[in-house]
Amino acid sequence: MAARRRLKRVAASQPGFLSFKSSSDPTASVGSRRKRVNKNKKKNWNKYSDVNDVDEFLEDIRHQERTTGGLLSEKTDDSLFFLDLGQPEKPQPQAETPQADEGKKRRGKASRPLRIDLILQPDSLVPPPKDILAYQQPNAKKLRRIAQKAERLAAKGVVPRKQKRLLNRRPVDKTVKKAVAEANNNPDRDYYDIWGQEPKVSADPWYLQQTGKKLVKRPEKLNEKPSVLPAVEVIAPGGSYNPDFFSHQALLQEAHQVEVQKKKQEDKLERQLAINKADKATEETNLREQVEGLVEEEEENGDEESAPSKEDEEAALAAIAVTQKKTEKQIKKEKAEKLKEQQRLTSRRQTEQQQQLFQLRSIKASIRQQEEKTKGKQMQRRAKQEAQKAQPRRLGKLKFQAPDLDVQLSDELAGSLRQLKPEGSILKDRFKSFQKRNLIEPRERAKFKRKLKVKYVEKRAFKEIT
Amino acid sequence: MGGLQKKKYERGSATNYITRNRARKKLMLSLPDFRRLCILKGIYPHEPKHKKKVNKGSTAPRTFYLLKDIRFLLHEPIVSKFREYKIFVRKLRRAYGKTEWSAVERLKENKPAYKLDHIVKERYPTFIDALRDIDDALCMGFLFSTFARTGKCHVQTIQLCRRLTVEWMNYVIASRALRKVFLSIKGIYYQAEVMGQLITWLVPYQFSHDHPTDVDYRVMATFTELYTTLLGFVNFRLYQSLNLVYPPKKLSALSSSLARVVSSEEEEAKLDQFPDEEKMEAREKEQKQLETQKKIFEGLKFFINREVPRESLAFVIRCFGGEVSWDKSVCIGSTYDVTDETITHQIVDRPNVDKQYMNRYYIQPQWVYDSVNTKMRLPVEDYFLGVTLPPHLSPFVEEKEGDYVPPEKLKIMALQRGEKPAQQDEEEEEDEEEEEEEDENEEEEDDEEEAEEKNLKKMEEQRSQGKSLQVKVTPGKVKAENRARLEQEEKAEEKRLAIMMMKKKEKYLYDKIMFGKKRQVREANKLAAKRKAHDDAEKAKKKKKARK
């Protein structure tokens, strides 16, 4: 504000200056007497001196320094101007030393910076301001003091607590891949004498039991084998790769028997389901069935109805026969008869007992017969039980299906070991053997069950066609 | 009535059993885990005697386990391992889903694993128990070692099985324990005698088989898990008993012998001196026989051609003291080449061989197996190249008296007894003689049937001792048994007199027994006649061909 006022005053004091106020009153401005000012006084140095030209000059200089990096008058001619002489002629002997030139060119080109980079570089003489925040650290002195102290202590040999603990800490043992090595089916696992060692546990049994470290004893019943069959059943001699004639025939016969049994079962089923041809419904019987009760034949019905009704009545009468009271005579008679009967029975029993003495021999014989029968039955039952032990037990939903006999037909028999084609799969054989010996229950492959029904929809195109 | 009423199904067999699902829930395991646990621990389902009682009135087919067994399972430490594994799988799946690969790595490094050593010790408290159950383990081990290394089951399991089976075979070779071999259409059956136990196992042929779909692989893999552990421990113990180093190195070729811990030689087990001298002699004789039988192929050098199953033959030959080698391109470990002059036998399966060396026999592989079964070196002529082989008889068949015995086996038994092998002419003579003998036998039988009485005591004695009566019919006797026949005739005379003096009832019983025996004999005769007809037909064909 003061500067503006000063400027106005200075401007107004210049000769020939036309101000607004002066226009309204021209006489005052033109030819007016300039006020006499004492420039020696400090007060008037700023008020009445005109420093514009100096200011401009200085501004100009500062501007030049700021932008172009120094006074333009002091710059060399080359930095400001260049002489445009057109395209310089390329030197002729270029093919002679192309590589050397290229190298030079490249080096020169690489060494010389791009012109555009040179132009765009900041070249003002005014340096960018210092970022004082970067140098500010609130506790620089304190940190410096701490560092110096640590240096002094380290020089003496004293180690700070944290470092001491770090050095004392044991190095980490890396137990990498321990799970892989421990796995049960690792091919390189080592075995030891499991039966020769003494049991490791030597502590108090009560302690072991309480802490759960004691191994529970295996119940005795689990050591029994679930079946008396041997683990590996050797195939019959007819199953040799080069069998003897008769044993091969015997084996074929067995297989044949199995097939015959199967066929018998199938035939039996078919027979049970079969219906007599005569029982099959024909059109006539169908018609009669449908028409039953609809066609009216009244006369016949009347005769038939009367006859059966009479018979019914008579029967009904007989059934409804009222039980009349028994007379005393009858009651006495009945009692006497009962007594008589009882007496007869007792006397008969007595005589029987007396006679049994003479029948001892036959009684003995009959007793012996009975005993023999019971013994025979006992033996049978025992034999059946033994046979049952060899059978596979029913252990679940499915019954045990005996595996098919491995047999090669006469024309499949190979003459030599080289031409032998093995029959059957040992994997299946072992699986069936486990089932037979009651080690696992018979199982079949799980079927794919859909939880949601599948909907079939015709595509639009097909809908139009069909 | 009031108060304490007895309710149904609250005591007795109904409370001893538990259904599978209930057991599974009690253990808090999933069904496959429960199955695996049962297989590993040896807990099997039971079929109760009275199903309706146990099933509380219904007859629905359910799987029952004994409640005490399930309670025992609750104390098993690997149950917690199963649960940890389930959680591990869940975490791994989550990490995969969130693609946190560092977490995946960390989880995989700390995968929970369990060991079955304590289970093996619990189920087989002594070494002999383990040996009794080793049949199954060997079968599974050999089966899994022949599997192809696809991803169907762990490759590690297959490798472990291979290692264990090779170790076992080397033990059998070192201890000369093999007794019987049988080549069947399914596979090869071996029987060995280890520490007094007869162990039979089945090895599949080396051809690749496609796996059947109705076999549960997880179940089989679980069995194999347990059995590999068991087999490993048994192997260790067996090697220890022979003072051999375990685990042995460089064994897969089966051609090198095992290193010993102590380089001392095997001490032969000396028989204890028993006071009974006769028994001692018998035992010594047996022992000597066994020793000779163990060294059938001693001193012989074999070479196995490419088309023959190498591993099986190498195993069998080395078990009985022979030396084996094969072509270098087949497998590592071949010690000598085809061109070696000292080879005594070369095993070939082709119809003919290009180059034939002078001082070696070219035989088919069945010779080795048959020799092992008959415990002596059979004549090589029957097994030359191009010759129709004699049938391969099963050594696992024990023939009772009166049963049909194939003539090949009779010949072999004759050989075993030390008689010379009969040539073709002699055979024909024998055939004629056989017919004569058969006629004689039949006449004698008729006589005996008509007028026979025997002493009661003798009959009872024989019956009590369970011996069969002396009369037997064996088709195909050799000439040299005439003296034996005279003795038999005398005995038969005595017997006839005794039978004449029998009482009616006893005679009735005796007749019944004889009838039953004769039925068997008649059937055997029929079969022999059939065989004879068959042989005659073949001979006729041969003659025709020769004439042409």
Side-chain angles (χ1 to χ4, degrees):
Chain A
M1 194 163 62
R4 252 201 290 145
R5 266 187 265 146
R6 187 177 22 112
L7 204 61
K8 268 196 215 166
R9 233 180 289 128
V10 169
S13 64
Q14 301 301 329
F17 183 72
L18 288 165
S19 64
F20 283 116
K21 281 190 181 164
S22 65
S23 59
S24 58
D25 192 11
T27 53
S29 58
V30 172
S32 66
R33 222 191 254 161
R34 232 191 296 154
K35 191 180 179 180
R36 280 206 183 147
V37 181
N38 184 14
K39 283 191 188 167
N40 293 332
K41 286 239 169 128
K42 212 180 190 180
K43 237 192 201 177
N44 300 326
W45 285 355
N46 249 353
K47 251 198 215 177
Y48 297 108
S49 58
D50 179 17
V51 248
N52 276 343
D53 51 351
V54 179
D55 261 343
E56 276 176 25
F57 178 70
L58 285 175
E59 274 285 335
D60 191 27
I61 290 178
R62 271 184 245 131
H63 180 74
Q64 280 180 30
E65 280 185 0
R66 235 187 319 141
T67 52
T68 55
L71 294 172
L72 282 172
S73 52
E74 286 169 15
K75 287 216 172 161
T76 58
D77 284 340
D78 280 333
S79 67
L80 293 171
F81 308 104
F82 70 93
L83 208 57
D84 189 6
L85 297 167
Q87 280 271 329
E89 285 177 9
K90 284 199 182 131
Q92 292 292 326
Q94 227 188 22
E96 286 173 16
T97 53
Q99 281 181 2
D101 277 352
E102 272 185 38
K104 254 194 180 174
K105 260 192 199 166
R106 216 178 278 136
R107 264 188 279 121
K109 273 196 177 163
S111 61
R112 276 192 290 127
L114 289 174
R115 184 134 197 107
I116 193 164
D117 287 339
L118 287 170
I119 294 169
L120 289 174
Q121 261 179 8
D123 56 349
S124 84
L125 286 173
V126 180
K130 202 162 70 164
D131 180 16
I132 51 168
L133 289 174
Y135 293 96
Q136 275 181 353
Q137 222 180 10
N139 54 352
K141 272 195 195 159
K142 189 178 179 187
L143 290 173
R144 212 183 313 135
R145 231 184 304 132
I146 291 171
Q148 283 170 357
K149 211 195 250 179
E151 255 177 78
R152 261 181 273 138
L153 285 176
K156 264 199 240 171
V158 178
V159 182
R161 201 173 292 158
K162 249 193 185 172
Q163 270 232 320
K164 239 197 260 178
R165 289 185 75 203
L166 259 175
L167 292 169
N168 284 344
R169 212 166 58 176
R170 258 182 298 147
V172 174
D173 336 308
K174 285 233 162 188
T175 51
V176 187
K177 310 277 183 190
K178 70 168 171 71
V180 178
E182 236 186 58
N184 205 31
N185 58 357
N186 183 21
D188 301 320
R189 67 164 287 177
D190 53 317
Y191 296 95
Y192 50 93
D193 189 6
I194 199 174
W195 290 285
Q197 280 178 356
E198 288 303 313
K200 291 184 218 167
V201 284
S202 48
D204 188 29
W206 171 252
Y207 162 75
L208 287 171
Q209 190 195 17
Q210 287 298 301
T211 50
K213 291 191 185 142
K214 184 177 183 191
L215 287 172
V216 181
K217 201 180 80 145
R218 189 182 170 90
E220 277 303 316
K221 212 166 182 207
L222 285 176
N223 290 336
E224 293 168 5
K225 289 208 180 148
S227 173
V228 296
L229 296 169
V232 178
E233 286 175 10
V234 185
I235 198 173
S240 158
Y241 89 104
N242 181 9
D244 169 53
F245 179 69
F246 284 112
S247 28
H248 184 65
Q249 293 295 321
L251 195 62
L252 285 175
Q253 185 77 359
E254 270 185 50
H256 175 70
Q257 284 296 334
V258 169
E259 291 296 318
V260 161
Q261 286 293 327
K262 274 195 212 164
K263 190 96 199 338
K264 263 195 193 173
Q265 290 287 331
E266 279 177 28
D267 285 344
K268 185 175 172 189
L269 209 61
E270 269 184 42
R271 251 182 292 133
Q272 282 178 341
L273 295 172
I275 33 174
N276 209 356
K277 269 191 183 169
D279 293 341
K280 258 194 188 159
T282 56
E283 278 192 38
E284 241 187 68
T285 51
N286 268 349
L287 196 62
R288 215 183 293 167
E289 220 187 289
Q290 283 172 358
V291 161
E292 225 177 323
L294 293 177
V295 178
E296 293 179 353
E297 296 167 29
E298 290 169 5
E299 300 159 15
E300 291 177 38
N301 277 355
D303 286 328
E304 286 169 23
E305 274 182 66
S306 56
S309 61
K310 272 190 199 165
E311 290 168 11
D312 286 337
E313 280 179 33
E314 286 174 13
L317 272 173
I320 309 169
V322 185
T323 44
Q324 287 160 354
K325 244 193 172 180
K326 277 193 193 168
T327 52
E328 283 215 26
K329 236 197 204 173
Q330 271 194 325
I331 294 170
K332 273 195 199 159
K333 221 200 232 173
E334 279 175 12
K335 268 196 189 165
E337 273 181 26
K338 238 199 222 172
L339 256 175
K340 229 196 200 172
E341 189 67 33
Q342 275 184 2
Q343 275 176 0
R344 195 173 67 83
L345 279 173
T346 44
S347 66
R348 188 143 173 216
R349 249 180 264 144
Q350 266 191 344
T351 48
E352 263 190 33
Q353 274 186 358
Q354 281 171 359
Q355 294 299 325
Q356 267 180 11
L357 251 173
F358 304 110
Q359 288 170 356
L360 269 175
R361 217 182 284 170
S362 58
I363 290 172
K364 253 194 197 170
S366 66
I367 288 175
R368 212 183 304 153
Q369 252 190 356
Q370 275 179 359
E371 272 184 10
E372 268 176 44
K373 237 200 248 173
T374 48
K375 255 193 213 165
K377 279 211 177 136
Q378 269 180 3
M379 300 262 284
Q380 265 188 350
R381 212 179 298 150
R382 227 172 282 158
K384 206 175 164 194
Q385 270 183 3
E386 292 293 317
Q388 276 288 336
K389 273 193 195 164
Q391 291 284 336
R393 321 246 92 236
R394 178 76 189 271
L395 293 169
K397 206 163 78 160
L398 298 168
K399 268 197 184 157
F400 171 71
Q401 299 281 345
D404 301 330
L405 284 171
D406 291 317
V407 162
Q408 275 189 341
L409 301 173
S410 314
D411 45 347
E412 287 174 3
L413 282 176
S416 75
L417 200 55
R418 184 171 52 104
Q419 291 156 348
L420 172 67
K421 190 157 177 281
E423 187 82 26
S425 155
I426 295 202
L427 189 60
K428 203 168 175 182
D429 168 64
R430 289 278 99 213
F431 190 58
K432 288 280 179 184
S433 165
F434 286 141
Q435 285 175 4
K436 208 171 178 183
R437 282 181 280 148
N438 306 325
L439 298 177
I440 51 180
E441 59 194 30
R443 294 181 60 210
E444 65 176 15
R445 208 180 165 80
K447 280 178 262 181
F448 179 65
K449 280 193 200 165
R450 278 192 193 275
K451 299 245 164 112
L452 306 165
K453 253 198 329 188
V454 174
K455 251 209 272 192
Y456 288 101
V457 178
E458 267 185 343
K459 276 193 184 169
R460 264 200 167 191
F462 289 106
K463 253 194 204 169
E464 288 167 4
I465 299 171
T466 55
Chain B
M1 285 208 258
L4 300 161
Q5 275 189 40
K6 269 199 200 170
K7 282 198 186 152
K8 243 182 163 182
Y9 310 123
E10 262 187 12
R11 57 194 96 208
S13 53
T15 49
N16 290 342
Y17 289 89
I18 185 175
T19 60
R20 189 191 65 189
N21 278 336
R22 279 254 172 85
R24 188 175 68 81
K25 287 202 184 114
K26 203 174 167 83
L27 288 161
M28 294 186 286
L29 287 174
S30 67
L31 186 58
D33 277 343
F34 175 73
R35 274 212 194 97
R36 197 177 301 149
L37 183 65
C38 284
I39 290 172
L40 289 176
K41 289 284 280 184
I43 308 267
Y44 310 119
H46 285 265
E47 191 190 5
K49 260 193 200 166
H50 305 285
K51 225 176 185 182
K52 244 184 161 181
K53 271 194 212 174
V54 172
N55 218 352
K56 305 212 175 126
S58 91
T59 47
R62 285 215 181 91
T63 317
F64 291 104
Y65 290 84
L66 287 171
L67 188 59
K68 283 195 181 152
D69 295 350
I70 303 295
R71 276 212 211 112
F72 171 62
L73 273 183
L74 282 168
H75 298 286
E76 176 57 42
I78 60 172
V79 173
S80 60
K81 291 283 182 179
F82 282 160
R83 296 188 194 134
E84 273 175 32
Y85 189 79
K86 184 174 101 166
I87 291 168
F88 161 76
V89 167
R90 189 193 299 163
K91 286 188 181 166
L92 194 65
R93 203 181 295 146
R94 207 179 286 159
Y96 261 108
K98 291 189 179 172
T99 60
E100 291 169 1
W101 303 116
S102 59
V104 167
E105 288 300 317
R106 174 178 51 90
L107 284 167
K108 277 194 180 166
E109 269 178 32
N110 298 331
K111 180 175 173 174
Y114 56 84
K115 282 216 154 159
L116 300 175
D117 302 358
H118 63 284
I119 293 184
V120 168
K121 179 86 168 84
E122 177 197 298
R123 279 179 78 168
Y124 307 105
T126 62
F127 178 55
I128 297 293
D129 293 332
L131 263 189
R132 280 199 208 110
D133 254 3
I134 207 76
D135 291 10
D136 253 335
L138 284 170
C139 287
M140 294 302 286
F142 275 101
L143 176 63
F144 267 67
S145 61
T146 58
F147 277 2
R149 283 160 207 219
T150 57
K152 257 213 151 163
C153 61
H154 290 197
V155 179
Q156 287 182 324
T157 313
I158 298 177
Q159 285 175 332
L160 182 62
C161 284
R162 178 105 193 112
R163 168 190 150 196
L164 291 172
T165 50
V166 167
E167 283 173 8
W168 166 263
M169 284 204 280
N170 274 289
Y171 168 78
V172 173
I173 290 173
S175 65
R176 307 282 176 97
L178 192 65
R179 299 283 178 263
K180 297 183 185 173
V181 187
F182 180 42
L183 294 164
S184 76
I185 48 181
K186 263 206 279 209
I188 309 179
Y189 288 89
Y190 293 99
Q191 193 179 68
E193 192 183 334
V194 175
M195 303 212 168
Q197 301 285 334
L198 282 173
I199 296 172
T200 320
W201 71 95
L202 172 60
V203 176
Y205 287 113
Q206 292 283 49
F207 324 128
S208 61
H209 28 238
D210 35 302
H211 296 258
T213 48
D214 51 351
V215 171
D216 192 349
Y217 277 94
R218 264 184 285 189
V219 163
M220 303 306 264
T222 316
F223 273 110
T224 309
E225 226 183 300
L226 174 71
Y227 285 143
T228 48
T229 326
L230 175 64
L231 188 53
F233 287 120
V234 165
N235 276 347
F236 182 91
R237 189 59 183 252
L238 289 173
Y239 273 57
Q240 214 185 43
S241 71
L242 280 185
N243 281 336
L244 297 168
V245 169
Y246 188 88
K249 293 166 196 155
K250 289 191 189 173
L251 275 194
S252 49
L254 283 180
S255 61
S256 49
S257 54
L258 298 163
R260 292 178 181 263
V261 170
V262 183
S263 58
S264 61
E265 299 217 334
E266 267 184 35
E267 292 176 19
E268 292 191 10
K270 290 182 188 160
L271 290 173
D272 296 332
Q273 295 290 334
F274 283 119
D276 196 351
E277 282 192 5
E278 287 180 6
K279 275 191 187 171
M280 260 288 292
E281 282 177 21
R283 288 271 296 276
E284 272 182 10
K285 223 177 157 189
E286 262 185 53
Q287 197 81 343
K288 275 188 197 157
Q289 236 190 353
L290 248 179
E291 290 296 315
T292 48
Q293 279 163 13
K294 283 184 188 175
K295 298 179 185 170
I296 306 177
F297 299 139
E298 196 109 338
L300 300 181
K301 264 182 143 185
F302 289 84
F303 187 84
I304 301 180
N305 229 15
R306 264 184 261 223
E307 67 273 359
V308 175
R310 176 195 62 86
E311 219 178 75
S312 163
L313 271 175
F315 173 55
V316 173
I317 291 171
R318 288 209 62 230
C319 263
F320 289 90
E323 289 178 29
V324 200
S325 181
W326 48 85
D327 206 48
K328 275 194 197 130
S329 55
V330 171
C331 186
I332 52 158
S334 74
T335 40
Y336 45 85
D337 205 19
V338 191
T339 49
D340 194 343
E341 297 293 323
T342 49
I343 295 178
T344 52
H345 294 75
Q346 182 161 347
I347 303 182
V348 186
D349 210 356
R350 292 184 210 156
N352 45 28
V353 190
D354 307 339
K355 200 176 177 190
Q356 297 234 353
Y357 287 80
M358 280 312 295
N359 52 351
R360 60 172 84 154
Y361 290 117
Y362 287 82
I363 45 171
Q364 304 193 34
Q366 202 182 308
W367 180 78
V368 177
Y369 297 113
D370 283 346
S371 303
V372 166
N373 284 335
T374 56
K375 302 192 180 79
M376 49 178 280
R377 283 188 222 167
L378 291 174
V380 197
E381 295 83 38
D382 301 330
Y383 297 89
F384 277 151
L385 304 183
V387 174
T388 39
L389 294 168
H392 179 61
L393 303 166
S394 165
F396 293 98
V397 164
E398 313 267 333
E399 265 130 6
K400 291 168 253 169
E401 293 173 22
D403 282 354
Y404 171 70
V405 180
E408 286 86 15
K409 185 137 191 189
L410 290 167
K411 259 192 259 171
I412 287 164
M413 293 205 297
L415 279 172
Q416 281 179 334
R417 264 177 266 138
E419 291 157 15
K420 292 176 198 164
Q423 291 164 10
Q424 271 241 318
D425 301 326
E426 282 191 25
E427 272 185 36
E428 289 183 12
E429 285 179 41
E430 278 177 33
D431 285 349
E432 292 170 37
E433 285 187 17
E434 278 170 36
E435 291 176 10
E436 285 177 39
E437 284 171 7
E438 277 180 31
D439 293 333
E440 282 183 13
N441 281 345
E442 284 180 20
E443 283 175 47
E444 279 188 20
E445 281 175 41
D446 293 333
D447 290 336
E448 286 165 8
E449 278 179 22
E450 283 170 58
E452 280 176 350
E453 280 181 353
K454 201 182 175 172
N455 207 348
L456 186 65
K457 276 187 189 172
K458 214 175 177 183
M459 268 295 289
E460 279 189 356
E461 254 183 49
Q462 288 207 342
R463 253 189 270 148
S464 61
Q465 284 173 23
K467 284 191 199 154
S468 61
L469 301 168
Q470 283 145 342
V471 179
K472 56 180 173 181
V473 177
T474 51
K477 278 202 184 140
V478 193
K479 223 178 183 176
E481 289 204 70
N482 266 335
R483 270 174 240 154
R485 286 210 39 78
L486 284 171
E487 280 182 23
Q488 274 199 351
E489 278 179 46
E490 278 185 38
K491 281 191 190 165
E493 273 280 341
E494 284 176 28
K495 211 184 128 215
R496 242 178 285 156
L497 286 170
I499 287 171
M500 269 195 283
M501 298 201 291
M502 252 198 326
K503 288 190 195 163
K504 215 187 200 179
K505 275 187 202 165
E506 279 126 20
K507 180 154 178 302
Y508 180 58
L509 279 165
Y510 174 72
D511 279 345
K512 266 189 160 176
I513 293 168
M514 287 305 293
F515 182 72
K517 281 214 175 248
K518 281 180 192 162
R519 195 192 322 145
Q520 269 188 15
V521 160
R522 257 182 261 135
E523 281 183 15
N525 279 345
K526 243 194 264 174
L527 286 171
K530 266 202 218 170
R531 180 58 193 261
K532 205 176 162 204
H534 176 73
D535 283 340
D536 288 339
E538 287 223 321
K539 270 192 203 164
K541 269 193 217 165
K542 273 189 196 167
K543 281 186 185 165
K544 273 193 194 168
K545 277 189 185 170
R547 269 182 220 157
K548 282 185 184 174

